[in-house]
Structure formats: structure tokens, C-alpha cells
Amino acid sequence: MVRSGDGNKVDGKVTVYVGSEGEGSMDLEICLSAMALGALMEDAEFMEAVGTKN
């Protein structure tokens, strides 16, 4: 889900929203360069710690 719009996409920007799954949840919008995202996806420890939702 895109929330902030195209004009607010800056590398390294993180925005936290009230979660769509109810009380106590949060949604994150994280803007990263392709290089930074690729490095994170190759980091096994990081990938074990995060959850993804399609």
C-alpha cells in the first residue's frame, strides 16, 4: 500500500503509520535505493528477523 505519494520518496526515509491490522499494529513505509535494498535482502540475519507481507 502506497501512502505518502511519489513526491515524498527520499532514500533513507522511514514513515510509521497506524497499522491496518488493528490495535497495536503498525505499518512501515521504508524508502531505500536499489543498492541498499539488495544488500539487506542478501543479509541472512536481517531476513530472519523481519516479516514480509504480500
Side-chain angles (χ1 to χ4, degrees), residues 1 3 5-6 9 13-14 16 27-28 30 40 48 54:
M1 174 184 298
R3 293 195 178 190
D6 291 339
K9 306 292 187 218
K13 180 179 178 185
V14 177
V16 181
D27 294 338
L28 297 175
I30 303 172
L40 284 175
E48 285 180 25
N54 294 331

Side-chain angles (χ1 to χ4, degrees), residues 12-44:
K13 180 179 178 185
V14 177
T15 308
V16 181
Y17 298 99
V18 174
S20 59
E21 294 185 11
E23 188 175 332
S25 69
M26 68 175 123
D27 294 338
L28 297 175
E29 179 180 53
I30 303 172
C31 300
L32 297 173
S33 68
M35 178 185 256
L37 182 58
L40 284 175
M41 292 178 69
E42 291 179 13
D43 185 322

